Amino acid sequence: QVQLVESGGGLVQAGGSLRLSCAAPGAILRINAMGWYRQAPGKQRELVAAITNGGTTNYADSVKGRFTISRDNAKNTVYLQMNSLKPEDTAVYYCNANLLRDRWSTSRDYWGQGTQVTVSS
């Protein structure tokens, strides 16, 4: 079942740009953090970028200066702007969010379905 809804992936040439979006549907009391991970074939999943409830951001060294993570709390949505794309960025990108649904629940992680990003040379 879909927990987070992702969009924006596709095929682009090296040097191009893509903007990924991820929305968290349903009731949400608090968003503790949101972020993006990626996984290339035969490789481990890695953190690309994250943003905390307080606004602190962090990025993988390989994407610093090229990718920007942002959020729209009113829409429960996180974005990943990817510029100067390289073939090495090719992977399935997964959205992640740590959410508190209501005051009687416990915060936990939710995941998107994944969106394919392919960068050709």
Side-chain angles (χ1 to χ4, degrees):
Q1 55 185 341
V2 176
Q3 299 178 331
L4 307 175
V5 182
E6 301 182 33
S7 63
L11 173 64
V12 298
Q13 293 182 318
S17 298
L18 285 174
R19 184 173 183 255
L20 306 183
S21 298
C22 172
I28 299 174
L29 182 61
R30 184 176 67 243
I31 301 175
N32 296 315
M34 302 187 80
W36 293 92
Y37 293 75
R38 68 185 181 188
Q39 187 167 22
K43 301 186 68 176
Q44 295 295 310
R45 183 183 64 183
E46 65 173 347
L47 177 67
V48 178
I51 184 167
T52 69
N53 184 51
T56 301
T57 60
N58 63 89
Y59 298 90
D61 288 340
S62 60
V63 307
K64 287 181 179 177
R66 299 188 298 120
F67 292 9
T68 303
I69 188 170
S70 61
R71 66 185 179 187
D72 185 338
N73 288 338
K75 297 180 179 179
N76 295 327
T77 299
V78 65
Y79 306 94
L80 185 67
Q81 179 66 46
M82 304 185 293
N83 298 326
S84 302
L85 282 162
K86 305 175 181 179
E88 308 94 270
D89 296 317
T90 296
V92 177
Y93 284 69
Y94 295 93
C95 181
N96 169 263
N98 188 270
L99 307 176
L100 178 65
R101 290 292 188 181
D102 55 64
R103 65 178 65 253
W104 298 276
S105 302
T106 301
S107 298
R108 73 175 186 90
D109 282 351
Y110 295 80
W111 291 91
Q113 79 279 9
T115 184
Q116 177 70 47
V117 171
T118 302
V119 184
S120 65
S121 59

